[in-house]
Amino acid sequence: MNNFLAQYFLKSFGSLTSPWIRRLSLGGLSLSLALLLITQGVFGGFEKIFKESLQSFNAHLVALNYGNFPEKNLREVLTPEFEKELVSLNPFTYTESLLLSQGKIRGLSLKGLDLKSLDKIKYLKLYNNKLIEVHEIKDIFLNKNSDLPALILGKDLVEALQLKPGQQVKLFRASDLASLDSPRNFQAFVFLGAFETGLKDFDSAFALVDLEVLQSLWPEAGLSQGWEIRLKNPDRALYWQDFFQENEASSLFHWISWQKLNEPILKALRYDRLVFFFIMALVVLVALASLAGFLALMVLERDQDLQLLYFLGVSKSKINRLFERVAFFFSLKALFWALIFGLGVLWLLRYGFWSLSKEVYRVDHVPVELSWSLVLLLVTFSLLLSWLVVRFSLGRIFKKLELQSSKNLVSRSD
Amino acid sequence: MKKNETLLEARGLFKTYAKEGQPLEVLKGVDFSLKVGESVAILGPSGSGKSTLLKILGSLEAPSQGEVYFQGKSLKNFSPETLSQFRNLHMGFVFQFHFLMPMLTAEENVSLPGMIKGLGKREALERARYLLEEVGLKERLDFYPNQLSGGERQRVALARAIFNEAPMILADEPTGNLDREYGQQVFELLLELKTSLGSSLLMVTHNWDLAKQCERRLELREGLLKAI
């Protein structure tokens, strides 16, 4: 009975006033739910791109070597369980320098990397004259046609300096072992190619060189400042950071995960997403408030039908529940259209319907990341919110509605 | 229940409404009884409280004072849910205006009491078709109320009232909206259905010609019910 009558009221809603009322209400609710879906999908996309960029250039876990210990000491503290998750372990060192090229000077973070283990790094995009894979970087370093040490630079820096592969650049690094104007402070490098992380900080101010070369040129930079560790599952880095921090055996090193290193920006991204979720949830709530208004209108519009049902033996609480069902069907319908519209828009965005400036956003189209679990969560949230609003409003409406003392059905003869 | 046993009984019914802040006493101690299979007409001038009495006897409204008994059981202590169920199974209503749901077909309208009772849609529609055939509307099963004439609509309403074979039919001016000749036909049909089901009929009317065809006639005047 309930489904049959719920369908009846759903079908007849607005027929006495205007069918546009139903369409507007349905459209409003669908649109608000679709917006909720779209914003979450787009925010998820930007978050994913950002995380991927961070994970590709930064290590997932860094073991800082304050005591200048050799790799043997580090290997000793790694557990078998950790070794299973390990992809690569790369010694590195950073040093500051100035880059001089064609009369231009740029500040530079010089990062020394162990070429022997570079081929295990997967994500970094590299450019020579063409796009090159990370594993090719070693060959490029080894097969250079120059006796000079080599470097590769961030893409933005290369574009700013208009460098071509094979060109020479000079680096200045003030050494403790030489006077400021000593030629030892200057070193010529051959430029081999560019890398791109998608992050302005790295692409505009970083250079990669062979760790051994860096140590031989400037030995005071140290054996290595630490090791960059890549994991099969980067999201587990925080767990391993805490694990090693708490383990006394590994206290020779200072452990930092990529999550900890980028905590403020990751927190800001999560906060942004949450704020937008609440804003969109408020929009949904407004649409639901209008649905509640339309339900009230439907109850008034169908007053006579409701009295008839009451006379025929449907109690007031059952009529209330009947309208809850009507609203549920209505919400389901709105949700269906919201999914069609929202997923459709996200599909168009994913396939480049709306192009973005790559310089600003690091991608040329709006990124989208939407898991089925998130869709399910949003669907559940929407239905729950709808149920709460409808239940509350119908409760108020039916509390006021006097079905039994209606004058419409039986008193015309009186 | 056997014929001539009391089906419905009301004792000392009072009903008071507030009108412009002043109490308005509509019923002033009405006693009433209806036997199984009996037909009773209640007459009275407009505003005398006939419909109020019908609503109280039909369990739609509670009296200010007094009690209504159905088959010896007081309706006073029934919960709203039980009372609704009671109405569905034991009362059939016929109104002056047909009051059919406009967007349901004739057979769907008739099947409503069955579906409320808990019958499946198919089963309820099957019985609705049978009843519509009984009231001469075999050809109008899937017609909407606005496609039916006034008399046809009232026949649909009659079929709906007897769907659950209720032991009591309450009618409020059942032919008030029809012309004399068609009104008589519909009323005869009502009596025929009542007799075939063995139900009792309680009718509120202004129409003396219809009232004459009932076994008993009562008049409600100044809040009291008197035999005429």
Side-chain angles (χ1 to χ4, degrees):
Chain A
M1 188 276 292
N2 276 345
N3 276 347
F4 174 74
L5 286 174
Q7 291 294 347
Y8 166 76
F9 284 109
L10 194 63
K11 200 167 64 175
S12 65
F13 174 37
S15 60
L16 294 185
T17 48
S18 165
W20 280 102
I21 291 177
R22 181 176 53 189
R23 286 174 202 156
L24 279 174
S25 177
L26 186 70
L29 190 56
S30 301
L31 199 62
S32 65
L33 290 171
L35 283 176
L36 180 67
L37 193 71
I38 292 166
T39 49
Q40 288 305 300
V42 170
F43 266 89
F46 275 114
E47 201 176 313
K48 188 187 172 200
I49 293 261
F50 192 79
K51 275 185 182 176
E52 276 179 3
S53 300
L54 282 176
Q55 287 170 4
S56 65
F57 192 72
N58 285 318
H60 303 154
L61 188 63
V62 173
L64 289 171
N65 186 11
Y66 291 144
N68 219 4
F69 298 108
E71 186 171 328
K72 190 169 81 63
N73 291 50
L74 179 69
R75 288 280 180 188
E76 277 167 8
V77 300
L78 303 182
T79 61
E81 197 194 339
F82 181 78
E83 296 272 8
K84 277 184 212 161
E85 288 201 33
L86 188 66
V87 174
S88 67
L89 194 139
N90 252 59
F92 74 92
T93 193
Y94 278 111
T95 188
E96 302 294 315
S97 67
L98 288 175
L99 184 144
L100 299 91
S101 172
Q102 299 168 36
K104 292 174 187 164
I105 301 175
R106 290 282 189 280
L108 202 64
S109 289
L110 207 54
K111 185 176 181 181
L113 287 171
D114 180 12
L115 293 183
K116 290 189 288 295
S117 52
L118 255 185
D119 54 350
K120 288 180 183 164
I121 300 172
K122 283 180 185 169
Y123 306 107
L124 198 64
K125 272 191 204 168
L126 287 157
Y127 294 83
N128 193 325
N129 284 324
K130 59 182 176 58
L131 184 69
I132 57 169
E133 298 295 326
V134 178
H135 61 82
E136 293 179 74
I137 191 175
K138 190 162 65 180
D139 300 333
I140 289 172
F141 269 107
L142 296 177
N143 298 330
K144 62 186 164 62
N145 301 318
S146 169
D147 296 331
L148 289 173
L151 54 64
I152 56 175
L153 293 166
K155 188 169 165 265
D156 292 353
L157 191 61
V158 172
E159 282 172 3
L161 297 173
Q162 293 176 321
L163 290 172
K164 298 272 181 289
Q167 214 171 317
Q168 276 189 35
V169 292
K170 261 188 181 174
L171 260 59
F172 169 80
R173 184 184 181 279
S175 166
D176 299 339
L177 307 174
S179 60
L180 202 62
D181 57 349
S182 162
R184 197 181 173 283
N185 288 326
F186 291 91
Q187 176 63 50
F189 281 81
V190 59
F191 165 67
L192 294 181
F195 67 83
E196 183 187 9
T197 65
L199 298 172
K200 188 81 181 164
D201 287 353
F202 299 133
D203 290 351
S204 63
F206 263 73
L208 302 179
V209 294
D210 183 352
L211 180 64
E212 277 180 20
V213 171
L214 188 65
Q215 284 167 344
S216 68
L217 289 173
W218 291 299
E220 64 276 17
L223 185 61
S224 81
Q225 285 176 359
W227 284 269
E228 288 190 337
I229 297 164
R230 287 178 180 271
L231 301 170
K232 283 176 188 161
N233 179 5
D235 292 336
R236 292 260 295 160
L238 193 61
Y239 164 79
W240 287 114
Q241 172 203 289
D242 294 341
F243 175 83
F244 287 122
Q245 293 278 37
E246 286 161 19
N247 191 339
E248 209 173 307
S250 53
S251 61
L252 295 175
F253 307 95
H254 183 66
W255 302 82
I256 307 172
S257 64
W258 70 274
Q259 293 105 320
K260 188 75 186 168
L261 203 63
N262 300 287
E263 197 177 11
I265 189 77
L266 290 174
K267 212 182 236 179
L269 278 173
R270 274 198 301 273
Y271 186 68
D272 272 2
R273 197 174 180 178
L274 197 68
V275 166
F276 260 82
F277 176 80
F278 279 114
I279 292 171
M280 288 302 131
L282 278 177
V283 174
V284 173
L285 203 63
V286 170
L288 282 171
S290 84
L291 169 66
F294 293 137
L295 275 174
L297 186 69
M298 193 201 298
V299 170
L300 295 176
E301 187 185 274
R302 292 284 160 197
D303 179 34
Q304 195 169 288
D305 288 352
L306 300 187
Q307 287 161 35
L308 182 68
L309 288 178
Y310 182 74
F311 279 38
L312 294 178
V314 187
S315 66
K316 206 170 163 180
S317 60
K318 271 191 181 161
I319 294 176
N320 190 343
R321 284 202 294 276
L322 175 72
F323 271 78
E324 279 178 22
R325 202 173 286 224
V326 172
F328 179 73
F329 283 143
F330 195 82
S331 304
L332 273 185
K333 211 170 171 181
L335 201 56
F336 171 78
W337 288 115
L339 285 175
I340 298 276
F341 180 68
L343 293 176
V345 168
L346 287 175
W347 184 83
L348 286 175
L349 291 175
R350 172 172 278 179
Y351 291 99
F353 177 71
W354 191 358
S355 52
L356 295 177
S357 160
K358 204 173 177 189
E359 303 302 313
V360 180
Y361 297 100
R362 302 196 306 274
V363 277
D364 55 8
H365 61 273
V366 180
V368 171
E369 175 66 13
L370 200 66
S371 63
W372 286 113
S373 56
L374 181 67
V375 173
L376 195 69
L377 191 75
L378 292 177
V379 165
T380 313
F381 166 79
S382 311
L383 287 177
L384 189 70
L385 193 66
S386 153
W387 180 74
L388 284 172
V389 170
V390 164
R391 201 175 156 79
F392 173 77
S393 51
L394 281 177
R396 313 277 301 182
I397 294 165
F398 277 95
K399 207 172 175 183
K400 299 269 177 198
L401 196 69
E402 295 282 339
L403 290 171
Q404 64 273 33
S405 59
S406 156
K407 296 280 173 194
N408 284 351
L409 295 189
V410 293
S411 62
R412 295 189 188 204
S413 66
D414 223 5
Chain B
M1 282 187 89
K2 289 177 189 165
K3 202 165 165 65
N4 292 327
E5 276 186 37
T6 302
L7 181 72
L8 184 84
E9 192 176 4
R11 288 184 211 151
L13 293 183
F14 283 84
K15 186 71 186 179
T16 309
Y17 291 113
K19 192 179 181 185
E20 292 164 3
Q22 297 297 313
L24 177 69
E25 213 167 35
V26 182
L27 304 178
K28 300 171 181 171
V30 169
D31 292 320
F32 172 78
S33 73
L34 181 72
K35 291 191 167 42
V36 174
E38 190 183 21
S39 58
V40 175
I42 297 178
L43 294 123
S46 293
S48 59
K50 298 191 298 295
S51 293
T52 301
L53 179 61
L54 192 78
K55 282 194 277 184
I56 291 172
L57 296 174
S59 76
L60 292 164
E61 207 168 315
S64 308
Q65 205 182 311
E67 276 190 63
V68 178
Y69 299 86
F70 188 86
Q71 294 177 341
K73 283 181 202 159
S74 170
L75 304 184
K76 202 175 181 177
N77 301 321
F78 281 20
S79 68
E81 290 289 326
T82 318
L83 218 49
S84 295
Q85 205 177 5
F86 164 78
R87 262 199 310 279
N88 176 245
L89 297 175
H90 298 96
M91 306 269 173
F93 290 92
V94 184
F95 310 108
Q96 178 181 1
F97 296 92
H98 54 85
F99 291 116
L100 301 174
M101 289 206 179
M103 292 181 77
L104 294 183
T105 61
E107 59 178 358
E108 286 171 338
N109 265 292
V110 174
S111 69
L112 276 177
M115 284 199 258
I116 293 166
K117 183 183 166 186
L119 289 184
K121 192 182 171 189
R122 192 193 292 178
E123 203 181 340
L125 284 174
E126 222 165 85
R127 178 157 167 75
R129 282 180 211 122
Y130 166 75
L131 291 171
L132 283 169
E133 210 175 314
E134 288 287 294
V135 298
L137 292 175
K138 193 184 172 185
E139 310 299 324
R140 300 281 191 270
L141 300 179
D142 54 356
F143 278 46
Y144 287 93
N146 63 359
Q147 297 171 308
L148 299 168
S149 70
E152 286 173 333
R153 287 177 207 167
Q154 203 58 317
R155 282 167 186 261
V156 174
L158 286 184
R160 183 180 62 193
I162 59 163
F163 189 97
N164 285 335
E165 299 184 351
M168 187 170 156
I169 298 170
L170 298 159
D172 187 16
E173 290 285 7
T175 62
N177 202 32
L178 304 173
D179 63 44
R180 193 186 170 89
E181 195 182 332
Y182 209 92
Q184 180 57 34
Q185 280 179 26
V186 168
F187 186 66
E188 277 170 18
L189 181 63
L190 176 60
L191 287 177
E192 201 182 304
L193 292 169
K194 164 204 122 31
T195 309
S196 67
L197 291 172
S199 307
S200 309
L201 171 69
L202 175 62
M203 178 175 66
V204 162
T205 184
H206 280 116
N207 189 326
W208 178 248
D209 289 337
L210 293 187
K212 271 197 302 191
Q213 297 169 63
C214 291
E215 291 159 33
R216 260 195 315 142
R217 286 156 294 282
L218 303 166
E219 188 183 25
L220 187 65
R221 195 176 280 272
E222 292 171 359
L224 291 169
L225 209 52
K226 287 169 190 161
I228 46 172

